[in-house]
Amino acid sequence: MHPSALDNGGLFFDTYLNAGEALTVLDIGAQDVNGSLRALAPAACRYVGVDFAPGRGVDVVLDDPYRLPFADQSIDAVVSSSCFEHVEMFWLSFNEILRVLKPPGLFYLNAPSNGDFHRYPVDCWRFYPDAGAALVRWAVRSGYRPALLESFTAYQKLDVWSDFVAVFVKDEAQVARHPRRMLDRLDRYMNGRRHGEQGILCPQEHPEDGARLRRLTGHPKGLG
């Protein structure tokens, strides 16, 4: 797992989860490849890692990538980092996550906004600033009532990835139970959204790599 993904995952746990509470946390795409969110979760958590193949950090291997073998409203928090780009129909996975979450339950999503083509076993998607709001609209059409608490694009750290980060609560009626935001603890980010606020925070049209290329070439479109 690349450095910024670890940093953002740790910030999610520190911001949203009570360190002493015995919560059940489900990690989708949990295989430990150069690091795992499991090591950053509060010690009191019951941590369950699922993936599509066996490996270090995987407690449950999924037979169907769009079916989680857990009861309705049984999970306190779901996390997924560097996985959704490999899920062909990630919107179906989003609904399944909402199904297993308790009403005040949280879903933390980290997926690349740019970066190299990397198949595991496929590489299908990159996530832009409107992705979180679009997932909420999809879920509402599917009969759920989630809310996007916040989202943003993180700056790179020692790698080529710019992480798109989003935090959802399963039931919009439970928003007040989660007053803290990762955005309040970040020095810099791009294209943020915050529940209850209109517009984009710290808007930036060009991705980090594109802005860097424009500076190097002196051309408004980089090499275009």
Side-chain angles (χ1 to χ4, degrees), residues 19 23-24 40-41 84 91 123 133 136 155 160 191 193-194 213:
L23 303 174
T24 299
L40 306 174
F84 262 41
W91 48 93
D123 186 10
V136 167
Y155 280 87
V160 301
N191 299 319
R193 289 177 179 266
R194 186 194 302 265
L213 186 60

Side-chain angles (χ1 to χ4, degrees), residues 17-128:
L17 300 192
N18 186 331
E21 194 171 356
L23 303 174
T24 299
V25 176
L26 179 64
D27 185 345
I28 297 177
Q31 186 169 165
D32 186 343
V33 180
N34 299 322
S36 166
L37 295 185
R38 184 188 295 262
L40 306 174
C45 287
R46 172 180 175 250
Y47 201 94
V48 181
V50 304
D51 211 314
F52 312 124
R56 185 172 61 179
V58 180
D59 302 302
V60 177
V61 177
L62 299 178
D63 296 325
D64 181 341
Y66 306 109
R67 182 68 182 177
L68 296 172
F70 305 98
D72 295 357
Q73 302 187 31
S74 60
I75 306 295
D76 295 293
V78 176
V79 298
S80 183
S81 186
S82 305
C83 175
F84 262 41
E85 71 269 28
H86 303 294
V87 180
E88 291 176 316
M89 294 177 283
F90 63 85
W91 48 93
L92 300 183
S93 299
F94 185 68
N95 278 4
E96 183 67 355
I97 288 166
L98 295 177
R99 179 187 68 79
V100 303
L101 279 173
K102 298 175 181 178
L106 298 168
F107 173 43
Y108 166 79
L109 171 64
N110 184 323
S113 186
N114 70 340
D116 300 338
F117 180 54
H118 59 296
R119 304 182 78 199
Y120 185 72
V122 294
D123 186 10
C124 302
W125 310 104
R126 296 295 181 268
F127 288 72
Y128 271 25

Side-chain angles (χ1 to χ4, degrees), residues 113-114 128-129 153-156 162 188-191 200 202-215 217 219-224:
S113 186
N114 70 340
Y128 271 25
T153 302
Y155 280 87
Q156 298 167 357
S162 294
R188 58 200 294 259
Y189 59 86
M190 295 175 280
N191 299 319
I200 301 293
C202 298
Q204 182 165 308
E205 179 181 359
H206 305 301
E208 189 173 358
D209 288 339
R212 186 179 298 115
L213 186 60
R214 286 166 175 80
R215 290 194 298 268
T217 63
H219 192 286
K221 295 185 179 181
L223 297 179

